[in-house]
């Protein structure tokens, strides 16, 4: 039997982290509180050093290495947050770090990892493949592998998040957090079940990269044949042996959210919460907004990281606006005569919608003679406003065609 991490382990980890990590703020969320009918808070680990909770576990693990082990250096595999945590922790402890990252890792995360002093190798298409390369490097060089989640010290370090939550919100009834390999949710569950057994701990995975549900059904860690999600920080194809044991015994529920849910959550956090959060850090909020889990308030959702590529942020914002019905993309077919485009745009303006871009095309073979196609991107105030605009255009004789209908 695998021995679980205990509350004493987490408290010892907290002593090691004194003066190293920040006690991140717990911020109230009015939109979530209104939606859930009770107080809802955001644990802002996106404001932690290196931009995520990962430095907690990484520092605890590396600080406990012997002088001889530190002399050999450390190696890690990560899509970005663990990489930065390891790089920062290694610098603080005084050892060199090599980090293997997927070839498609966000450039800001790669640059930040190098900025903290680590050597970076881009290998593999996902974290699982990068981890294999890191293990091979460790065997060849003697460097100590700092696993991103499947180690007692790492779980203990991540569990310090829950110690802070219970101090900041003693009345909490539900804690919701994202899950990749399971280190954070395992550490949170260790603390919650030791100090407050009545608190429900809920883990959230991206539906297109959810390894825990099939693993829990099988009774053992199961590897996904393939996985892909915008939430790169939790894109893990197989739970760890140690974390799986913790989740199975201590975590109350694992749920999944769609990519659209994640986009909506990111948009809400940015627009209403003024929080810059990466997709993996927003899945807990996504689950609450999507209503995929029943919760008892007060609720705390962990924003586990804020290291988002600005280019991805632009795409996610656009996608989130579209998912919320506030960004409409349609093609309008109408007669090709002088003034027709001006009339179309005037009608859209009359309904107080804002045209972002226009593409006017006559060369589509699907068009009839004397017909023109106008592709529009329009900002609206929501689904109801979009529906009203489309109905008005059709009532005026315009043929409105969506992408799926073409």
């Amino acid at each position: 039997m695998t021995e679980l991490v205990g509350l004493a382990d987490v408290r010892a980890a907290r002593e090691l982290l004194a003066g190293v990590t920040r006690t991140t703020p717990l911020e109230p969320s009015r939109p979530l509180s209104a939606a859930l009918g009770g107080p809802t808070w955001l644990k802002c680990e996106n404001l932690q050093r290196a931009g995520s909770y990962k430095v907690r576990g990484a520092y605890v693990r590396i600080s406990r290495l012997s002088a001889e082990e530190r002399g050999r250096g450390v190696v890690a595999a990560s899509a970005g947050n663990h990489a930065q945590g390891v790089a920062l922790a290694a610098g603080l402890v005084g050892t060199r770090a090599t980090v293997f990252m997927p070839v498609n890792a966000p450039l800001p995360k790669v640059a930040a990892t190098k900025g903290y002093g680590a050597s970076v190798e881009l290998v593999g298409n996902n974290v699982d493949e990068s981890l294999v390369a890191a293990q091979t490097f460790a065997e060849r060089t003697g460097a100590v592998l700092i696993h991103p989640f499947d180690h007692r010290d790492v779980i203990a370090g991540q569990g310090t998040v829950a110690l802070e939550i219970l101090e900041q919100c003693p009345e909490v009834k539900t804690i919701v957090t994202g899950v990749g390999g399971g280190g954070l949710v395992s550490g949170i569950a260790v603390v919650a079940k030791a100090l407050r057994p009545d608190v429900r701990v809920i883990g959230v995975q991206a539906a297109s990269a959810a390894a825990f549900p099939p693993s829990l059904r099988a009774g053992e860690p199961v590897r996904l044949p393939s996985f892909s999600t915008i939430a790169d920080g939790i894109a893990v194809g197989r739970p760890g042996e140690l974390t799986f044991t913790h989740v199975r015994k201590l975590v109350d529920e694992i749920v999944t959210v769609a990519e659209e849910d994640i986009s909506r959550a990111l948009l809400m956090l940015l627009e209403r919460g003024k929080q810059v959060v990466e997709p993996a850090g927003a899945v807990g909020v996504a689950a609450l907004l999507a209503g995929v889990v029943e919760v008892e308030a007060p609720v705390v959702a962990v924003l586990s990281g804020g290291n988002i590529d600005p280019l991805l942020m632009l795409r996610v914002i656009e996608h989130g606006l579209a998912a919320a019905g506030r960004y409409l993309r349609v093609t309008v077919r109408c007669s090709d005569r002088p003034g027709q485009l001006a009339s179309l745009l005037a009608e859209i303006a009359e309904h107080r919608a804002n045209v972002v871009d226009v593409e006017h095309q006559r060369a589509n073979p699907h068009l009839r003679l004397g017909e023109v196609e106008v592709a529009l991107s329009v900002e609206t105030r929501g689904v109801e406003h979009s529906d009203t605009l489309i109905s008005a255009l059709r009532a005026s004789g315009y043929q409105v065609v969506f992408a799926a209908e073409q």
Side-chain angles (χ1 to χ4, degrees):
M1 295 289 290
T2 302
E3 183 182 354
L4 299 183
V5 172
L7 179 61
D9 299 314
V10 181
R11 285 175 166 161
R14 189 179 200 181
E15 292 182 8
L16 284 174
L17 292 170
V20 175
T21 58
R22 300 177 179 134
T23 298
T24 53
L26 195 70
E27 296 289 341
S29 173
R30 291 181 62 187
L32 285 174
S33 297
L36 299 177
T40 307
W41 303 80
L42 304 174
K43 178 59 172 171
C44 300
E45 283 296 291
N46 56 314
L47 303 180
Q48 184 56 264
R49 293 186 70 176
S52 85
Y53 71 95
K54 285 286 192 177
V55 67
R56 297 174 182 262
Y59 184 84
V60 173
R61 174 79 172 98
I62 296 173
S63 67
R64 287 176 170 166
L65 297 178
S66 66
E68 187 271 334
E69 288 173 321
R70 294 182 191 183
R72 301 203 306 264
V74 298
V75 61
S78 168
N81 287 344
H82 181 60
Q84 292 172 71
V86 167
L88 173 58
L92 293 173
V93 170
T95 185
R96 66 185 183 278
T98 302
V99 180
F100 287 80
M101 304 178 73
V103 294
N104 58 352
L107 292 179
K109 292 185 177 183
V110 174
T113 303
K114 292 179 178 179
Y116 286 121
S119 299
V120 175
E121 300 286 344
L122 300 179
V123 177
N125 296 311
N126 52 57
V127 176
D128 289 19
E129 293 179 6
S130 298
L131 184 56
V132 172
Q135 290 168 331
T136 301
F137 179 89
E139 293 169 0
R140 186 178 74 250
T141 65
V144 179
L145 177 68
I146 308 301
H147 200 282
F149 48 84
D150 212 30
H151 193 279
R152 295 180 60 83
D153 289 341
V154 172
I155 292 173
Q158 320 307 28
T160 60
V161 172
L163 289 177
E164 293 177 14
I165 290 174
L166 293 179
E167 291 170 355
Q168 293 167 320
C169 185
E171 67 277 17
V172 64
K173 292 291 186 180
T174 310
I175 300 176
V176 184
T177 187
V179 177
L184 176 60
V185 75
S186 295
I188 287 174
V190 165
V191 173
K193 296 308 178 182
L195 295 177
R196 286 279 309 281
D198 60 306
V199 172
R200 293 190 71 226
V201 178
I202 299 171
V204 185
Q205 294 203 288
S208 54
F212 266 99
S215 297
L216 291 170
R217 288 193 296 269
E220 62 182 2
V222 172
R223 184 175 297 281
L224 296 175
S226 62
F227 53 95
S228 177
T229 174
I230 60 171
D232 60 283
I234 56 171
V236 178
R238 182 182 183 276
E241 297 288 342
L242 186 58
T243 54
F244 174 79
T245 301
H246 282 74
V247 169
R248 183 173 60 175
K249 293 185 177 181
L250 300 176
V251 175
D252 294 284
E253 189 175 2
I254 298 288
V255 299
T256 63
V257 290
E259 302 294 282
E260 290 76 12
D261 299 328
I262 301 172
S263 295
R264 289 191 190 98
L266 285 166
L267 182 62
M268 187 279 286
L269 288 166
L270 183 63
E271 188 174 39
R272 299 292 304 279
K274 310 303 182 258
Q275 297 284 347
V276 176
V277 183
E278 63 188 280
V283 293
V285 171
L288 296 176
L289 288 176
V292 299
V293 61
E294 293 185 6
V295 296
E296 181 181 0
V299 180
V300 173
V302 180
L303 306 182
S304 58
N307 296 313
I308 184 170
D309 186 333
L311 293 177
L312 175 60
M313 179 181 285
L314 288 174
R315 294 197 297 270
V316 166
I317 290 173
E318 182 178 294
H319 190 81
L321 288 170
R326 293 170 51 192
Y327 192 82
L328 184 64
R329 286 181 171 178
V330 295
T331 297
V332 177
R333 292 178 182 174
C334 53
S335 58
D336 186 12
R337 64 174 187 267
Q340 184 65 65
L341 178 59
S343 298
L344 171 62
L345 296 179
E347 178 146 3
I348 293 173
E350 183 181 334
H351 284 83
R352 298 186 180 280
N354 183 47
V355 176
V356 178
D357 58 60
V358 179
E359 183 181 352
H360 195 260
Q361 188 176 116
R362 293 185 177 88
N364 190 330
H366 298 291
L367 295 173
R368 296 191 299 269
L369 187 64
E371 191 176 47
V372 68
E373 188 174 74
V374 183
L376 297 161
S377 296
V378 183
E379 292 177 344
T380 68
R381 295 190 296 275
V383 174
E384 185 176 346
H385 188 204
S386 296
D387 291 343
T388 299
L389 175 61
I390 292 168
S391 297
L393 291 175
R394 285 174 171 163
S396 298
Y398 295 106
Q399 182 183 359
V400 181
V401 182
F402 295 93
E405 301 172 350
Q406 295 181 330

